[in-house]
Amino acid sequence: MEGAGESLRDTELRLGLPGTDAPEKPALTVTRGGKRALPEDNEEAYAKSSKSSSAEEQGEGDLCGQEPPAAKAQVVGWPPIRSYRKNSLHARKVEGEAAGLYVKVSMDGAPYLRKIDLKVYKGYKELREALDDMFKCFSLGEFPRKEGCSGSEYAITYEDKDGDLMLVGDVPWEMFISSCRRLRIMKGSEARGLGSRH
Amino acid sequence: MTYFPEEVVEHIFDFLSSHRDRNIVSTVCKAWYRVERLSRRSVFVGNCYAVRPGRVMARFPGTKCLSVKGKPHFADFNLVPHDWGGFALPWIEAAARGCPGLEELRLKRMVVSDESLELLARSFPNFKALVLVSCEGFSTDGLAAIATHCRGLRELDLQENEVEDHGRQWLSCFPDSCTSLESLNFACLKGEVNAGALERLVARCVNLRSLKLNRAISVESLARILVRTPHLVELGTGSFTVEHRAEAYQRLIHAFRKCKSLKSLSGFWDVAPRCLQSIYSICPNLTVLNLSYAPAIQGADLVKLIRHCFKLQKLWVLDCIGDKGLAVVASTCKELQELRVFPSDIYGTGTAAVTEEGLVAISSGCSKLNSLLYFCHQMTNAALITVAKNCPHFTRFRLCILDPGKPDPDTNQPLDEGFGAIVRSCNDLRRLSLSGLLTDTVFLYIGEYAARLEMLSIAFAGDSDKGMVYVLNGCKNLRKLEIRDSPFGDAALLENVGKYETMRSLWMSSCDVTLGGCKALAAKMPRLNVEVINDRVESDEMEENPSDMHKVEKMYVYRTLAGARNDAPEFVDIL
């Protein structure tokens, strides 16, 4: 079975200069290691047979221009990165991406709470914009744009993993999302104590 | 020279530092063999199963430094089952019996138990240095034994090991009288250590030059440590999570300014980009920078940092540096010799972080580059040809295109010509890893031009047995050949069986080699161990006598004086 594909190709009559074969991805049609994973095979089989070439074929040919395939077939031991390194990068990602990081958001005076996923925001600015959007229906005024909130009506605070009430914006974003347990939008009058940074 | 007295011959041999040179002179005559074996102080065993530990100690009773390697390289990528072998204990036992004067032990890819570390700690009164790389099987209890009993320990270097955390007290086991440490690396430990004990330890070890902390060490602790160790040359930071307005951060900046000898930096887990400013004062002196565990630092911040690092010789980064970032490296780091670019997004389709453009930029700016490990999404022949022209001094060239079997995206051709250019141009090439779409032609080039090649890694490449044969017949200095998922079968395996006795090892997995082929090889070459490693699942399902036509999933062949090893697990057949 191995040689058949190749020799047939050799005897094919073609027009055109050598080396200008249509991109038929020859490597994918020649069997490799005697184990050719067919496109219909499920991903489990891929993982065992250590081949992702067919998945590519399917991915590039059929799904060109559409959403990229949800999960590329994972080949055992590929890419060649030490487990130690994979685990340490993957652990960080998993910490980050596992099921999102949903926290409750309450606002003083609002009749009900909301829930947001902190993972989707890249930083404080986006978070403030999202909260603004979410709570503006309660027409409760502008949100503080800068860190510290001297002068504005509301302050965004959060409860950290020690149970303390903290002002949002002091610590690096990554640190914030790992320690934030819930958010609370406080009326300015109560928040004044937290806000003073001078 | 045989009429010189032995002391003179020994003195001349003192100038031979490489073990290969010493191996050669020992074969000249019996007298030289005797002189050499009694005077050898540093012994290197590339494959722990090639020779019995007792034999090594008997031949070299004066061994002071012993270096042993265990599992095959592909074990790094989970291709070797967990309990395949590579145990350190027999080596430590043999050394304890035969060479009690041992001072240094270096182990790579071996299984090291707490029991063996305890034996080590108690058996060698002059023990000075322990280096464990990519090992497993031990816990912090074993480290406690080393800390407790090795008086005069100078070096404890743990690189990328899997260590079980049994508590933080191991570090406190270094007695107050221990002042000899020069190098301490526990970056791979997951658990906490007693920060106070660490600070006191580094304070009293005045010769400490290399310190690599683990992620559990806070910035506050780091700042306190650095104040006590202003002469540090190599530093691996702990977790770098700090608010840039915090006092600890200010203290850290201050401490860094005092460390005028720092040349090497690594660690930086969790670092927030803003905090990188703290090291700007050190950057102009840096020769080694490892940011490959800091995925939070994106291209722009990396670039700002690197612009200060004009003495850099070795750089390890993630591919979020991007092609543009690599261009900055190329224009700034004119002394660069080694570059490693690791992927940050392994399974996602992701944005193309680095491509052939980045590599070409590096090659045109960094003419001293000799060692490369580059993970990218695509590569072209034109780029490789340019790189080969710009950098003819490569000794190690490892390219990993993340999509297996991907052709040149511009021409849809295989990358034979590109790699061909590399081997033709780089006459000193000792190590090569291939990737992308490749036919037998690339192996023709390798066999013909890569005269100094010692290690070749092949994955998803080639069309037929011819490819492997070109390599076996051509590369006269080949020592290690590892192949996965390539169409090489029995004909290739058996074409040049004598070759394998000139090599350390051959690994083939998911290829076309059959059980019959392996048996034939084993029968022809009794001084090779031909190991057939069966998949756990398969071996449960397999019958008693699988047919010779059955394809072998994993095969590991190595020359040996020790015969079949007696510690093989049941899923390994030694033919």
Side-chain angles (χ1 to χ4, degrees), chain B residues 4 11 18 91 102 132 136 235-236 346 467 481 491 534:
Chain B
F4 278 9
H11 183 65
S18 119
W91 289 91
L102 191 72
L132 300 177
E136 48 164 354
L235 173 68
I346 301 173
L481 180 58
N534 299 309

Side-chain angles (χ1 to χ4, degrees), chain A residues 82-161:
Chain A
R82 281 197 187 161
S83 321
Y84 176 81
R85 182 174 289 280
K86 244 187 207 171
N87 292 343
S88 99
L89 275 182
H90 194 53
R92 294 204 77 242
K93 285 193 163 227
V94 164
E95 276 167 33
E97 289 163 5
L101 199 58
Y102 284 90
V103 295
K104 288 185 190 168
V105 187
S106 62
M107 180 165 190
D108 291 358
Y112 50 81
L113 281 63
R114 299 297 301 269
K115 229 174 186 178
I116 57 171
D117 177 2
L118 291 177
K119 283 293 153 207
V120 315
Y121 307 111
K122 294 209 198 87
Y124 288 118
K125 182 158 171 295
E126 273 193 39
L127 174 65
R128 286 178 210 279
E129 282 166 5
L131 290 176
D132 192 8
D133 230 17
M134 207 180 250
F135 284 94
K136 65 177 178 237
C137 57
F138 300 115
S139 18
L140 299 168
E142 287 251 332
F143 272 30
R145 292 284 164 222
K146 294 191 291 193
E147 293 156 351
C149 59
S150 34
S152 18
E153 270 197 55
Y154 283 87
I156 310 179
T157 65
Y158 69 103
E159 186 184 303
D160 73 358
K161 56 186 172 202

Side-chain angles (χ1 to χ4, degrees), chain B residues 94-112:
Chain B
R97 278 192 297 270
C99 305
L102 191 72
E103 295 179 6
E104 294 182 24
L105 183 64
R106 282 157 216 276
L107 302 176
K108 184 166 183 179
R109 275 188 219 104
M110 295 192 77
V111 177
V112 184

Side-chain angles (χ1 to χ4, degrees), chain B residues 38 56 124 126 146 166-167 192 215 223 234 265 269 279 292 320 330 352 368 376 408 474 495 539 542:
Chain B
L38 294 174
V56 173
F124 307 105
N126 293 336
I146 299 285
H166 285 184
E192 294 200 354
R215 213 163 163 177
E234 289 181 358
L265 280 183
W269 292 289
I279 61 168
S292 62
C320 19
K368 295 188 185 174
C376 58
D408 178 332
E495 164 75 17
S539 57
M542 252 167 40

Side-chain angles (χ1 to χ4, degrees), chain A residues 42-53:
Chain A
N42 57 23
E43 288 189 3
E44 285 255 316
Y46 282 175
K48 282 205 73 160
S49 74
S50 318
K51 243 198 274 300
S52 72
S53 31

